[in-house]
């Protein structure tokens, strides 16, 4: 004896969200960001780090609002990387992303970084007054880690 199986069809699902629904979601996401940053800052304080360097696009979206397209991080360079300190939120952006960052991450300070993060990192870190920086170690290449550590030996990079 066979049992009839009802497989889902398109009519079983809700319609795609319209512009009003997407706008509501965007507003809710933006309203939630300060609490997300506060939770991260609390975790940073417990861990004894002064800042967090984020490199993953999903973390950038969650904490800053910047949305890079699928696979775009492969050509964006350092654009979309971000730093959260106790008092500041910085998003790195080259000229291709400056307008997008100002629109999607309006609460962040834009730091113009091109292929020169190794040279800019000591100045950026000093401007924030940080000494220990948590870094997404599992998502940062060894070469990039070595560049950052070598360019500012007074800044301790802490795997996160």
């Amino acid at each position: 004896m066979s049992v009839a199986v009802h497989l889902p069809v398109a009519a079983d699902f809700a319609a795609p969200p319209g512009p009003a629904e997407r706008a509501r979601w965007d507003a809710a996401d933006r309203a939630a960001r300060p609490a997300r940053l506060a939770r991260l800052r609390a975790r940073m304080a417990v861990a004894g780090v002064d800042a967090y360097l984020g490199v993953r696009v999903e973390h950038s979206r969650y904490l800053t609002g910047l949305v890079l397209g699928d696979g775009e991080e492969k050509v964006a360079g350092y654009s979309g990387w971000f730093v959260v300190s106790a008092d500041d939120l910085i998003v790195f952006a080259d000229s291709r992303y400056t307008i997008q960052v100002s629109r999607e991450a309006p609460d962040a300070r834009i730091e113009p970084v091109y292929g020169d993060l190794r040279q800019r990192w000591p100045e950026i870190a000093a401007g924030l007054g940080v000494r220990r920086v948590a870094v997404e170690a599992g998502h940062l290449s060894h070469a990039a880690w070595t560049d950052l550590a070598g360019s500012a030996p007074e800044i301790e990079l802490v795997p996160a």
Side-chain angles (χ1 to χ4, degrees), residues 1-94:
M1 176 166 93
S2 67
V3 175
V5 176
H6 172 73
L7 297 176
V9 295
D12 293 336
F13 299 96
E21 186 72 2
R22 287 189 181 274
R24 190 178 66 77
W25 291 349
D26 287 344
D29 180 60
R30 182 161 183 210
R33 264 186 239 122
R36 293 174 190 159
L37 287 167
R39 287 192 305 271
L40 174 60
R41 287 176 170 129
R43 289 180 65 189
M44 289 166 35
V46 168
V49 296
D50 305 310
Y52 173 80
L53 173 62
V55 300
R56 294 174 64 188
V57 293
E58 57 270 29
H59 293 172
S60 181
R61 165 75 174 85
Y62 187 72
L63 293 167
T64 74
L66 178 65
V67 180
L68 294 180
D70 289 338
E72 194 171 0
E73 73 280 0
K74 295 174 183 162
V75 297
Y78 298 113
S79 294
W81 287 26
F82 63 98
V83 179
V84 177
S85 70
D87 301 314
D88 217 342
L89 173 61
I90 297 173
V91 176
F92 300 158
D94 64 30

Side-chain angles (χ1 to χ4, degrees), residues 124-159:
I124 293 167
L128 291 169
V130 300
R131 307 294 290 162
R132 296 186 80 225
V133 179
V135 182
E136 294 181 307
H139 299 277
L140 187 68
S141 72
H142 178 72
W145 182 285
T146 303
D147 278 350
L148 291 177
S151 71
E154 67 282 4
I155 305 299
E156 180 185 359
L157 302 181
V158 179

